[in-house]
Amino acid sequence: MANYRLILEYDGTAYNGFQIQSNGITIQELLETALARIAREPVRVIAAGRTDAGVHALNQVANFHSKLSVPVERIPIAVNSLLPRDIRVKSCQIVADDFHARFAAVAKTYLYRIRQGAIESAFERHYCWWIKRPLDRSLMRKAGKLLEGPHDFAAFAASGSSVKSTVRTLISYGQIDTDNGIDLRFTADGFLYRMVRNLVGTLVEVGLGKRDAAEIPAIIASKNRNCAGVTAPASGLFLEQVWYEQARMDSDHA
Amino acid sequence: MANYRLILEYDGTAYNGFQIQSNGITIQELLETALARIAREPVRVIAAGRTDAGVHALNQVANFHSKLSVPVERIPIAVNSLLPRDIRVKSCQIVADDFHARFAAVAKTYLYRIRQGAIESAFERHYCWWIKRPLDRSLMRKAGKLLEGPHDFAAFAASGSSVKSTVRTLISYGQIDTDNGIDLRFTADGFLYRMVRNLVGTLVEVGLGKRDAAEIPAIIASKNRNCAGVTAPASGLFLEQVWYEQARMDSDHA
């Protein structure tokens, strides 16, 4: 038995999220089915981030325990040949037995892409939030900076999620102007259910002048989902990076 | 009656090309159906380039004669509300009565996107030709330059096409290195059926070392489709620009 770590890229448009659900096709089930064909036994995959329906991943990290006869360097090609083209294994490595893609992650970075312009692009429709009205980017940046730090983010958690604590540390908020839009980046030690999309919805309301940037501390303090902004669409969201302790990433290749 | 000129962008992935066919959904039929609903009468659309199944457009030009009650500046929004999101009208203008999107075009530019790397991107699958093996870009550039000029391009025309003359002038071949690939641009006074994809297939064979760049003149001289390379996939091809005489483009807004 070895512990394999995968880096995955996927276009989430066609899927009902990463995690296996009773309804809809998920990335996890397609991946487990492909791996089981290679392993000739059931395989259970653990992913760092359980991305929601329509959410994409540029570098999702996952691990699974199995005994594969395929050499590790050929696993990406073998698995990809059994997966639809919108899910790709970018790399595979054997890692320490106790590596757990979710529990070992110290932080994750999500990218949210906003695009602007009078006419929506025919090509970007699944990969951004298209907003026609101009956004005040400096007000958004100001509001985003007020989100940084350890906070109880309950106001930004989708109702129905049950977690022990709603305190998370937003390590950094980054905002970069692109050709015809804005890229927003959120790095945190963890995220509540729909937290990034609720943060983005709130920042966009600031950018549209519907809210004051200075309201952010009061929204956080309210711990009330109704005080924050709308939920941004899934299409703009990408799991971009998962952070681990370097020692663990490089750890003994079994 | 006025003559309307549209600039269109579309993701061709889901369609059986621009022109109405007996089988499969085409961009022309969706556009004509949308326009007919606004005009309350049948509308016939003429496009500059009849892009093939799976081929995209960044700036397709089309025109139609009709009498619309919607003000011209609001036509894009009105038509887009009746079109699927992968077809967008970017602009609409009233032009001279005799403007004909196809016959008045003096040249067209097609972009062909090649992407390289060991693992195909989950996001680019419909928008490029993914080639794993490295391409010699300088040999491709050399071969491409030999294609420029007026030539009988019969060797690059799909069999089954019936045109009076197979002589076309390739005004320019351009090749730009991108992040993880190459953008090839072909500007010509006209293109034969599948000509760009056959040119690209031939240039890629040069880039892979399967053919010599110096063979190009002999391939042209053969006028034999079997002497040229494979047909590149539709997914990489974009109609990027249609060129008209400036006077005509600016002509009296009826």
Side-chain angles (χ1 to χ4, degrees):
Chain A
M1 287 285 270
N3 189 9
Y4 294 88
R5 189 193 64 213
L6 304 174
I7 311 284
L8 300 164
E9 175 178 277
Y10 50 79
D11 177 342
T13 307
Y15 302 108
N16 197 19
F18 186 86
Q19 196 173 25
I20 289 175
Q21 306 281 334
S22 52
N23 59 326
I25 299 168
T26 64
I27 293 140
Q28 186 185 358
E29 79 189 63
L30 292 172
L31 193 57
E32 290 185 354
T33 303
L35 289 169
R37 280 188 60 185
I38 297 170
R40 294 161 200 264
E41 60 175 14
V43 173
R44 169 48 49 110
V45 170
I46 296 151
R50 288 169 292 185
T51 56
D52 216 351
V55 174
H56 315 292
L58 300 171
N59 295 289
Q60 169 76 284
V61 179
N63 77 291
F64 64 94
H65 293 267
S66 189
K67 200 175 147 184
L68 304 179
S69 55
V70 179
V72 66
E73 67 277 10
R74 294 191 45 205
I75 289 172
I77 286 168
V79 183
N80 286 336
S81 73
L82 300 170
L83 284 173
R85 286 174 70 204
D86 49 8
I87 306 174
R88 295 287 91 180
V89 174
K90 294 169 78 175
S91 69
C92 181
Q93 273 195 291
I94 292 173
V95 291
D97 265 355
D98 66 343
F99 173 79
H100 186 288
R102 182 145 43 95
F103 298 149
V106 292
K108 290 195 281 281
T109 300
Y110 278 94
L111 162 68
Y112 197 95
R113 297 176 76 231
I114 291 170
R115 292 295 174 272
Q116 301 225 261
I119 309 286
E120 193 176 3
S121 156
F123 297 98
E124 297 274 0
R125 67 200 187 285
H126 298 310
Y127 311 113
C128 70
W129 182 8
W130 196 272
I131 298 174
K132 290 180 189 181
R133 281 198 288 152
L135 294 166
D136 186 319
R137 297 171 187 206
S138 73
L139 288 180
M140 287 174 70
R141 190 172 282 113
K142 194 175 149 193
K145 284 292 165 189
L146 291 171
L147 292 164
E148 288 184 349
H151 295 294
D152 185 332
F153 282 99
F156 299 95
S159 53
S161 53
S162 61
V163 282
K164 280 174 201 153
S165 163
T166 47
V167 174
R168 297 289 184 277
T169 298
L170 185 70
I171 298 162
S172 82
Y173 170 71
Q175 190 181 306
I176 293 174
D177 289 352
T178 59
D179 261 9
N180 61 341
I182 321 172
D183 282 354
L184 317 181
R185 272 187 183 80
F186 300 85
T187 299
D189 59 351
F191 291 90
L192 303 169
Y193 187 49
R194 298 226 167 134
M195 179 170 146
V196 179
R197 291 164 61 189
N198 293 335
L199 291 173
V200 171
T202 307
L203 292 176
V204 163
E205 291 181 8
V206 169
L208 292 171
K210 291 182 183 175
R211 283 172 188 276
D212 234 41
E215 279 177 50
I216 295 291
I219 297 170
I220 295 172
S222 78
K223 301 178 192 176
N224 180 351
R225 175 71 193 91
N226 297 321
C227 294
V230 297
T231 304
S235 55
L237 188 58
F238 296 73
L239 172 55
E240 187 174 55
Q241 206 72 50
V242 186
W243 304 95
Y244 296 94
E245 284 177 45
Q246 195 57 40
R248 190 167 285 278
M249 288 293 278
D250 297 338
S251 62
D252 52 311
H253 288 205
Chain B
M1 287 287 269
N3 190 9
Y4 294 88
R5 189 193 63 211
L6 304 174
I7 313 284
L8 300 164
E9 175 178 279
Y10 50 80
D11 177 341
T13 308
Y15 303 107
N16 197 18
F18 185 87
Q19 198 173 25
I20 289 176
Q21 306 282 331
S22 53
N23 60 325
I25 299 169
T26 63
I27 293 140
Q28 187 184 0
E29 78 188 64
L30 291 172
L31 194 56
E32 290 185 352
T33 303
L35 289 169
R37 278 187 61 184
I38 296 170
R40 293 160 199 266
E41 61 175 17
V43 173
R44 169 48 51 110
V45 170
I46 296 152
R50 288 169 292 186
T51 55
D52 217 349
V55 175
H56 316 292
L58 299 171
N59 295 288
Q60 167 77 283
V61 179
N63 77 292
F64 64 94
H65 293 266
S66 190
K67 200 175 146 183
L68 303 180
S69 54
V70 179
V72 66
E73 68 276 9
R74 293 192 44 204
I75 289 173
I77 285 168
V79 183
N80 286 336
S81 72
L82 300 170
L83 285 172
R85 286 174 70 203
D86 50 7
I87 306 174
R88 295 287 90 181
V89 175
K90 292 168 78 175
S91 69
C92 180
Q93 271 196 290
I94 292 172
V95 291
D97 265 356
D98 66 342
F99 172 80
H100 187 287
R102 181 145 44 96
F103 297 150
V106 294
K108 288 195 280 282
T109 300
Y110 278 95
L111 162 67
Y112 197 94
R113 298 176 77 231
I114 292 171
R115 292 296 174 271
Q116 300 225 262
I119 308 286
E120 193 176 3
S121 156
F123 297 97
E124 297 274 0
R125 66 199 189 286
H126 298 309
Y127 311 113
C128 71
W129 183 8
W130 196 272
I131 298 173
K132 288 179 190 182
R133 281 198 289 153
L135 295 164
D136 186 318
R137 297 170 187 206
S138 73
L139 289 179
M140 288 175 68
R141 189 172 283 113
K142 194 175 151 192
K145 285 289 164 190
L146 292 170
L147 292 164
E148 288 183 349
H151 296 294
D152 185 333
F153 282 100
F156 299 94
S159 53
S161 54
S162 62
V163 283
K164 279 174 199 152
S165 163
T166 46
V167 174
R168 297 289 184 276
T169 298
L170 184 70
I171 298 163
S172 83
Y173 170 71
Q175 190 182 305
I176 292 173
D177 289 350
T178 58
D179 260 9
N180 61 340
I182 321 172
D183 282 354
L184 317 181
R185 273 188 183 77
F186 301 85
T187 299
D189 59 352
F191 291 90
L192 304 168
Y193 187 51
R194 299 225 166 136
M195 178 171 147
V196 179
R197 291 165 59 188
N198 293 335
L199 291 173
V200 171
T202 307
L203 292 177
V204 163
E205 291 181 7
V206 169
L208 291 171
K210 291 183 182 175
R211 283 173 186 274
D212 232 41
E215 279 178 49
I216 295 291
I219 297 171
I220 295 171
S222 76
K223 300 178 192 174
N224 181 349
R225 175 70 191 91
N226 298 321
C227 294
V230 298
T231 303
S235 55
L237 188 57
F238 296 73
L239 173 54
E240 187 175 56
Q241 206 72 50
V242 187
W243 303 94
Y244 297 93
E245 286 176 43
Q246 195 57 39
R248 189 167 283 279
M249 287 294 277
D250 299 336
S251 63
D252 52 312
H253 288 205

